[in-house]
Amino acid sequence: METTALKAKAAQIRMDLLKMIHGAKTGHTGGSLSNTDILTALYYRIMKLDPANPKWDGRDRFIASKGHSVESLWCILGDLGFFPKEELKTFSQFGTRLIGHPNNKVPGIEMNTGALGHGLAIGVGMALAAKRDGKDYRVFCLMGDGEQAEGSVWEAAMAGPHYKLDNLVAIIDRNRLQISGSTEEVMGLEPLEEKWAAFGWHVVSIDGNDMEQLVRAFEAAPSIPGKPTLVMANTVKGKGVSFAENVAHWHHHVPNDEQLALALAELSAAIESYEQEGLVR
């Protein structure tokens, strides 16, 4: 999918997740909006996948370590046909598979996540298995920036370069806000890029809401043989909804009817703009 189409797709996924959260009256809105561009680039352009055969051995693996922001992932998996899209209406309802964190009973989910700090270690194991088995799949692991306060993240960060896992791509959704406020006030992270580089990772810093930059960064990995890649995706929490952007309150806020209508109107206008951009090109 071309980048203009990817932008339009990301806006549609944002619309879908907002409707889903509004209907369920629960969800992690801000972080799902910030990571939508990342997931759209991965699932519609970068990763090797087969929705009809989700356990295909040659597939690339994706781990949503920041599992609480699952809404964008559910919408993408439903859109791609990993499960019936109609099932999105059951999100967080009694008896549903589509709970508030990734659930490996759902096709396309590699592992249950939600307890922060676990995903990268599992990603290291998957990438190491690929190396030892002579397989060429890549492993992508999305973490939150607040998650960087977990000690287990840094144990895995040591292991990746030690085993020369250049088939491993870690991504930090660096939106600088967590449930209780600024990441730098809760637990200062900077200089975050330098820390990952010191652990032996090839660090690429990009605008994580810029589709062209996302595609370039993911397509280039691994750019240094023998080194895992860390993509520092600088994003905006609540991206795509003007009144939610950079507002910590939207971490776990559910839009009311009026807010949903305003947000959908903004995103519809964005889609129309991208479609016009595509026609011009």
Side-chain angles (χ1 to χ4, degrees), residues 6 75 81 89 100 121 145 178 214 245 256 271:
L6 288 170
C75 290
K89 294 178 180 178
D145 48 5
Q178 55 193 99
L214 284 164
E245 291 185 354
N256 60 31
I271 291 173

Side-chain angles (χ1 to χ4, degrees), residues 43-187:
Y43 275 87
Y44 293 93
R45 173 74 175 261
I46 300 298
M47 293 198 301
K48 296 180 296 182
L49 299 166
D50 183 359
N53 184 16
K55 292 296 185 182
W56 170 46
D57 194 49
R59 72 190 183 282
D60 289 328
R61 274 66 166 171
F62 174 76
I63 301 167
S65 191
K66 55 170 292 185
H68 58 284
S69 296
V70 72
E71 291 83 0
S72 46
L73 180 57
W74 286 148
C75 290
I76 287 171
L77 293 179
D79 185 63
L80 287 171
F82 281 89
F83 56 82
K85 193 170 182 178
E86 189 74 9
E87 194 172 343
L88 294 174
K89 294 178 180 178
T90 72
F91 172 63
S92 282
Q93 305 301 308
F94 179 75
T96 186
R97 298 187 296 176
L98 306 185
I99 58 177
H101 293 85
N103 165 24
N104 65 8
K105 292 181 180 179
V106 179
I109 299 296
E110 299 291 343
M111 61 171 288
N112 297 341
T113 55
L116 296 176
H118 295 177
L120 186 61
I122 300 297
V124 166
M126 289 179 174
L128 182 58
K131 289 284 188 182
R132 293 187 172 178
D133 292 343
K135 296 177 179 177
D136 65 355
Y137 63 78
R138 288 189 292 174
V139 180
F140 297 87
C141 178
L142 176 63
M143 297 178 284
D145 48 5
E147 185 176 1
Q148 304 306 294
E150 299 281 356
S152 51
V153 168
W154 298 99
E155 294 180 54
M158 283 192 291
H162 175 78
Y163 290 108
K164 297 180 171 53
L165 300 179
D166 53 9
N167 57 343
L168 175 62
V169 180
I171 309 148
I172 297 177
D173 184 4
R174 185 70 169 116
N175 59 40
R176 292 175 169 76
L177 290 173
Q178 55 193 99
I179 192 167
S180 49
S182 162
T183 56
E184 300 314 294
E185 293 173 354
V186 176
M187 179 61 68

Side-chain angles (χ1 to χ4, degrees), residues 192-243:
L192 191 53
E193 292 175 28
E194 288 87 342
K195 288 175 183 175
W196 279 89
F199 272 66
W201 291 68
H202 174 58
V203 178
V204 180
S205 183
I206 63 169
D207 179 342
N209 295 128
D210 183 297
M211 197 60 72
E212 286 85 357
Q213 292 186 41
L214 284 164
V215 168
R216 282 198 300 269
F218 293 144
E219 286 185 340
S223 54
I224 299 180
K227 274 196 171 191
T229 298
L230 185 282
V231 176
M232 191 70 67
N234 294 285
T235 62
V236 174
K237 195 148 191 167
K239 179 67 176 178
V241 179
S242 62
F243 51 87

